[in-house]
Amino acid sequence: MRLGLFGGSFDPVHLGHLLAASESADRLGLDRVEFVTAARPPHKRPVAAPEARHEMVVLATARDGRFFPSRLELDHPGPSFTVDTLRRARRRWPEAELFFITGADAYRDVATWKEPEALFELATMVAVTRPGYDLARLDPFFRERVVVLEIPGYEVSSTEVRRRVAEGRSIRYLVPFEVEVYIEKHGLYRARS
Ligand code: ATP
Ligand code: MG
């Protein structure tokens, strides 16, 4: 099995994430993509609670047979370091070939990650292009080892979605419909952060 792990804080998950996961699955011939919700990302503090972010991932992945929500990081205490997640994934799927997928922007500070070299032994590290992020600025060590996937640019971010909700503007066509309803129903992101 060729297994993709798509890590993110998903605060909230949006259509840019689904496009990135779908393109990665097609181009890399992945059998499935696990959306791994970061419980406590070491580099930022999410707005919505981990379980709420995960429930939105459950809703967003429901309509695609290749996509699965994953509790790999949620069910473990402590900060979510990618290298620990990959080791856990290896134990859970010992036969699988692993692909770790993120946007190009995530690799800009990859040198500050825990055990960066080990990542490349555990999985094929994949960077999808993201509007506004230039891969040329990446540390050469990582640039040589990361697989870059050029995907259609969809300029949406969770930050932009949260801002729009706080301003009372529409988020339709930026997030899946079910996620839009969830945000409204639970009153998420109304306060400016
Ligand atoms: P925030 O604005 O809160 O940082 P985000 O939109 O960057 O949210 P994350 O949960 O941080 O979402 O993203 C998870 C992964 O998806 C990251 O690796 C990120 O680079 C990638 N990603 C997010 N949005 C896009 C997009 N529009 N196109 C390509 N990749 C994306
Ligand atoms: Mg981000």
Side-chain angles (χ1 to χ4, degrees):
M1 178 173 66
R2 290 165 73 83
L3 173 69
L5 296 164
F6 187 36
S9 39
F10 304 127
D11 190 18
V13 61
H14 55 64
L15 294 178
H17 294 131
L18 296 179
L19 176 67
S22 179
E23 287 291 306
S24 301
D26 284 350
R27 307 263 294 280
L28 301 166
L30 306 181
D31 298 296
R32 60 197 278 166
V33 178
E34 298 272 333
F35 284 58
V36 184
T37 309
R40 285 157 294 269
H43 299 297
K44 67 179 182 189
R45 201 168 178 285
V47 176
E51 290 300 332
R53 290 182 281 113
H54 183 68
E55 279 175 25
M56 292 188 277
V57 168
V58 171
L59 294 171
T61 51
R63 288 168 183 260
D64 193 312
R66 303 165 299 174
F67 296 169
F68 292 83
S70 170
R71 303 190 55 91
L72 208 55
E73 292 189 354
L74 286 181
D75 291 341
H76 287 267
S80 328
F81 291 106
T82 300
V83 71
D84 301 330
T85 304
L86 291 179
R87 289 194 176 118
R88 237 176 270 138
R90 286 233 78 98
R91 284 196 293 274
R92 170 136 359 147
W93 297 283
E95 308 295 328
E97 184 176 354
L98 300 181
F99 296 79
F100 186 79
I101 304 156
T102 58
D105 59 308
Y107 289 98
R108 283 180 312 172
D109 58 358
V110 73
T112 69
W113 292 15
K114 185 182 166 192
E115 299 178 57
E117 280 90 356
L119 299 171
F120 299 90
E121 282 152 31
L122 291 161
T124 302
M125 302 299 286
V126 180
V128 299
T129 52
R130 184 171 188 180
Y133 295 93
D134 185 4
L135 275 176
R137 278 183 296 167
L138 199 66
D139 178 301
F141 174 87
F142 297 105
R143 199 164 54 220
E144 278 167 26
R145 287 164 178 78
V146 167
V147 173
V148 176
L149 279 189
E150 294 234 15
I151 65 167
Y154 186 2
E155 203 170 352
V156 55
S157 67
S158 301
T159 302
E160 170 69 10
V161 172
R162 293 192 302 270
R163 185 184 306 131
R164 282 171 172 251
V165 174
E167 291 172 355
R169 292 159 61 207
S170 171
I171 54 170
R172 190 159 294 176
Y173 311 120
L174 299 182
V175 301
F177 179 67
E178 292 82 355
V179 171
E180 184 186 341
V181 173
Y182 185 97
I183 290 170
E184 166 83 35
K185 206 155 128 180
H186 295 275
L188 295 181
Y189 310 125
R190 280 201 203 142
R192 274 163 216 272
S193 50

